[in-house]
Amino acid sequence: MRIILTYTFIFSILTIFGQYPKFEIGGLSRALADNSFLDEMDTVNNDVKQDFNLVFDLAINGELNEFINFYSELRLGNSLEVFDTSSSYINLRRILIYGKLSKNTSFEIGDIDLKMTPFTLWNSQEEGTVNENRLANNFRDIQRYENFNNGNFWRRQGLVIKGNKSVFKDDTISYKSFGTRELASNEISTPDVFLYGSEIKYQSNIISLGLNHIDLFSNYKGINYDTNLNNHVFSTNFNLNFKKIKLHSEFGFSSLTNTMNNIDSKWIKGEFLNVGFNFDISDNLSFSTSFRSVSEDFSSPGSQSKRINYSLVPSMFAQTNNNTISRDISLSDIIYGVDFMRSNSIYNRTIDYGLDNFNPIFGVIEPYGLATPNRRGVSSDLTFSDSLKIITVNANFSFLTDLVGEGINTKRNYSNYSIAFDFSLNKLLGFDKQFVLNGGYSNSSSKRDHPIDLNVQNVNLKCNIIDLGLELEILKNLSVLGSYKRLFSNGLDYLSIRSNDFTIESYNAFQCDLVHEISSLGLAYDFNKKSSVLINYQILNFSDKILDNSFSINQFFVLVQIKF
């Protein structure tokens, strides 16, 4: 049956190709083998063997007529362990119809990518990155591709209409409106959930002004309640662009219903402000800084939803030490837990009410990005690159506090500083082959002192991440890759527990003293810019003093990638 479907699809492609004026085909293919095993002290858990899982994604972009275009991505998958079609499958990864409604207006319907501002609709990056080298980036790029994390865009299913029009010679007014269905009703207890938004923006060479609105709402009509739940966010962003200085700002508010009873129509209000500037000091040096204040009741699901679902358990070795200790999602699961079928993926694709769970071992300073509620403070960024691009350095500093105290009047103080560098030794030494060192270090902390008579331990939680990497081309297109990554987190903090109406009900004490360490060595051969093979061996060491738990996971990867 699968063979028949495959040949039918290929025949359809050839038929379409012959009928329409413009037709393009592209895609990629990946084959991944993964062997993982715990240390020899663990005799109960079985080793994980994932023989070559092959996926082939075929992208089709066709111009159906003057106004309508068609784009789709079809996935063909199989396991090379089985030499027949019993393990093969066909999935439709994406389907999109797009085109023009008029000269200045276009539309997209189907699987659309949406992004607005960091406080309205924004897909913040996953935790644990400072400055990773090629070894980790290979797998992180696959994770992002498999889970449709294209930059800061959210992949949704719906309709978007957008357009632009010039007013004068050097300016433009652009606009966009969209609507998506986040959840389908079962017509008994689960309501339909929709997301819609609009933005309008005026932009010239010097100034830009934008107005944004987004709303996540549930339609309970005909189920158990006689009203809808809404989460509105309104914002205005204003930018000025001079020769070397760029000023930027955004401010707005959120409005959230806290009940499904029309008798009580109270809305929970929150607000935010973010202002700053970028200064190009020279061709090689730039500096930026910003101040933000986000209230404790600011609610924006489109910008506060997380990529990782920390309420799940890892798909690989969910229990260790002979099945006696359950483990949480670790840094290595986020990077290397690739699942082509996504049957047990920890990556999240949903936007829903409330704040998602987060893992404090990665820090608590801004788990929901810039839109993290109850934060006020300053962030700065400094970037230097010499004229020959031999070394590039980026430093970031953030100093924040609680806007209001949580549980007591005393506010927590947060700090974060990080530095990342790329050092091209081949340019310094005059080598023809690639020789690059890169690394980074990040330190974040939260602190709060309590009165002695309160008889509660002080808040003092620290998280540190180290990234080191090496890429050395020993022969033409053949490179040795090395990577070392270490996360160590320790201390105590109190995490707020919020109810459905976004108010804080209670607190959970979180305490940790642990280390995640990844040592990796690989060999990569590039056939060309779009085709490569990577052989990678790594050891993942975990140590948790609180739980008295330590173990190691050994992994061996073979990754083949072809893009066309």
Side-chain angles (χ1 to χ4, degrees), residues 445-505:
S445 65
S446 64
K447 295 183 179 181
R448 184 178 67 192
D449 293 333
H450 298 150
I452 298 177
D453 58 358
L454 190 61
N455 197 26
V456 175
Q457 288 181 273
N458 294 333
V459 170
N460 187 10
L461 180 64
K462 296 180 181 179
C463 172
N464 300 270
I465 298 176
I466 295 175
D467 263 327
L468 295 174
L470 165 70
E471 180 175 353
L472 174 61
E473 187 178 6
I474 54 177
L475 297 173
K476 183 176 176 58
N477 298 330
L478 179 64
S479 300
V480 174
L481 307 175
S483 175
Y484 176 78
K485 195 176 186 75
R486 179 184 176 92
L487 178 147
F488 44 107
S489 184
N490 65 83
L492 172 72
D493 204 342
Y494 300 92
L495 309 181
S496 58
I497 300 174
R498 294 179 182 260
S499 61
N500 292 332
D501 60 5
F502 214 73
T503 58
I504 296 176
E505 317 184 294

Side-chain angles (χ1 to χ4, degrees), residues 77-145:
N78 197 3
S79 174
L80 299 186
E81 180 186 17
V82 182
F83 294 97
D84 55 39
T85 60
S86 60
S87 63
S88 63
Y89 58 91
I90 299 177
N91 291 331
L92 185 62
R93 274 180 50 89
R94 188 182 187 189
I95 184 167
L96 179 70
I97 296 175
Y98 66 100
K100 289 188 174 183
L101 297 174
S102 65
K103 181 181 178 180
N104 299 312
T105 305
S106 60
F107 74 93
E108 296 178 0
I109 184 170
D111 298 312
I112 56 180
D113 287 327
L114 296 174
K115 179 181 73 172
M116 295 175 70
T117 71
F119 293 91
T120 52
L121 185 61
W122 194 263
N123 188 3
S124 298
Q125 286 192 356
E126 61 276 19
E127 291 87 347
T129 62
V130 183
N131 187 30
E132 295 173 340
N133 78 326
R134 181 177 170 183
L135 267 180
N137 277 336
N138 267 292
F139 294 95
R140 202 177 280 277
D141 288 344
I142 294 175
Q143 290 281 31
R144 292 170 177 171
Y145 175 82

Side-chain angles (χ1 to χ4, degrees), residues 26-44:
L28 62 83
S29 178
R30 288 192 174 106
L32 175 64
D34 174 14
N35 286 275
S36 305
F37 51 94
L38 291 165
D39 53 55
E40 59 184 11
M41 300 300 294
D42 196 314
T43 59
V44 173

Side-chain angles (χ1 to χ4, degrees), residues 206-209 237-250 274-280 287-290:
I206 298 177
I207 187 173
S208 68
L209 175 66
N237 51 304
F238 179 73
N239 302 325
L240 284 174
N241 186 6
F242 300 104
K243 188 174 182 180
K244 289 190 174 183
I245 298 179
K246 297 178 182 178
L247 307 178
H248 61 85
S249 66
E250 185 179 4
N274 185 39
V275 295
F277 69 88
N278 301 341
F279 180 30
D280 293 329
F287 174 76
S288 66
T289 189
S290 63

Side-chain angles (χ1 to χ4, degrees), residues 38-45 317-327 542-544 547-553:
L38 291 165
D39 53 55
E40 59 184 11
M41 300 300 294
D42 196 314
T43 59
V44 173
N45 287 288
F317 301 129
Q319 293 179 310
T320 58
N321 291 40
N322 293 312
N323 286 348
T324 59
I325 299 179
S326 299
R327 71 181 185 94
F542 302 83
S543 176
D544 190 329
L547 297 178
D548 191 22
N549 178 29
S550 62
F551 60 93
S552 297
I553 299 178

Side-chain angles (χ1 to χ4, degrees), residues 218-271:
S218 298
N219 181 11
Y220 278 87
K221 297 294 184 180
I223 300 181
N224 295 324
Y225 303 94
D226 58 356
T227 188
N228 296 331
L229 294 178
N230 290 82
N231 197 150
H232 296 278
V233 182
F234 300 87
S235 82
T236 298
N237 51 304
F238 179 73
N239 302 325
L240 284 174
N241 186 6
F242 300 104
K243 188 174 182 180
K244 289 190 174 183
I245 298 179
K246 297 178 182 178
L247 307 178
H248 61 85
S249 66
E250 185 179 4
F251 60 91
F253 65 92
S254 65
S255 188
L256 169 69
T257 51
N258 70 330
T259 179
M260 289 181 288
N261 187 348
N262 277 332
I263 298 176
D264 183 2
S265 58
K266 179 182 177 182
W267 290 73
I268 298 174
K269 303 286 187 177
E271 59 277 335

